[in-house]
Amino acid sequence: MSTSSIERRLRRRSVHRSRSTAVSVALVVTALVAAWIGTESVLKAIGQAPLLADPQTVVDTALKPDAAFTTIAEVIAAVLVIAGIVLVVLALKPGRMSRSAIDHDRGAVVIDTRILASTAANAAASAAHLPESNTSATARGHHTEVRVVPLSGIPVDQAAVRDAVQERLGRLGGKHGTRVKVHVEQKGTLS
């Protein structure tokens, strides 16, 4: 395995959330149900008493349900629906964590996106000649959004702020700083 493929794998594992816990729980539950059905079938085949319920009795009761069985079946169905919804949500929700990979010639470098946002806010404050408390930023993937609250009576050059943020984030790697949005608030603060 080449060094670059190992670095790509390390970056991916550091940036994306693992779904192995959900998969492991689903597999354990499925294995337990299959083991129970197999055990009950073997016990029925050798003429022993069932552990929990005889599979044939369960099937017969399901085909001719009484009130108690219907209630139990509804509870089991509700639990299965909830478990299914949880598993679908885990499968579909984004697997990205708030981290970002940075291109570096020495190896895989991963930083928290709050550091990227802080860097963008600092660059915006410097370009707008404002205190850092008047700027805020969020970073997610290739997108960086900067909010600037100007001082009353002092205009802010939005293009200069965007260029400064792009230049500062561009130093970190090729993909950072490519999509920067700068929002200048209409109302300023007093200095």
Side-chain angles (χ1 to χ4, degrees):
M1 197 177 270
S2 71
T3 305
S4 63
S5 64
I6 291 172
E7 287 176 9
R8 275 194 310 268
R9 181 192 272 162
L10 286 173
R11 283 186 190 135
R12 175 151 173 75
R13 285 187 177 191
S14 297
V15 172
H16 291 84
R17 184 174 289 117
S18 172
R19 292 184 172 109
S20 61
T21 304
V23 171
S24 298
V25 168
L27 288 175
V28 166
V29 169
T30 303
L32 288 173
V33 170
W36 172 71
I37 291 172
T39 303
E40 295 292 4
S41 299
V42 169
L43 289 174
K44 174 77 173 176
I46 61 173
Q48 297 291 323
L51 290 175
L52 297 175
D54 176 27
Q56 188 61 44
T57 306
V58 171
V59 171
D60 292 341
T61 307
L63 294 175
K64 299 175 192 168
D66 60 350
F69 181 80
T70 304
T71 304
I72 292 171
E74 288 172 352
V75 168
I76 291 172
V79 168
L80 290 176
V81 165
I82 291 170
I85 290 170
V86 167
L87 289 175
V88 167
V89 167
L90 286 174
L92 295 179
K93 83 175 194 179
R96 288 189 60 85
M97 298 191 309
S98 60
R99 297 180 187 158
S100 189
I102 295 203
D103 297 329
H104 197 274
D105 57 345
R106 287 188 170 186
V109 177
V110 177
I111 63 170
D112 194 279
T113 54
R114 289 177 292 194
I115 295 172
L116 290 174
S118 177
T119 301
N122 180 278
S126 295
H129 306 293
L130 294 171
E132 239 182 282
S133 60
N134 286 34
T135 59
S136 64
T138 58
R140 187 170 183 95
H142 300 281
H143 302 283
T144 305
E145 194 168 315
V146 179
R147 294 208 177 278
V148 178
V149 180
L151 295 175
S152 292
I154 301 174
V156 172
D157 183 5
Q158 193 171 2
V161 171
R162 181 177 33 260
D163 292 342
V165 171
Q166 286 177 334
E167 189 272 327
R168 178 88 57 94
L169 292 179
R171 291 186 214 162
L172 298 175
K175 70 177 185 175
H176 301 292
T178 56
R179 296 183 191 149
V180 175
K181 288 184 182 177
V182 176
H183 301 285
V184 178
E185 297 292 330
Q186 295 297 321
K187 294 183 180 179
T189 61
L190 296 175
S191 59

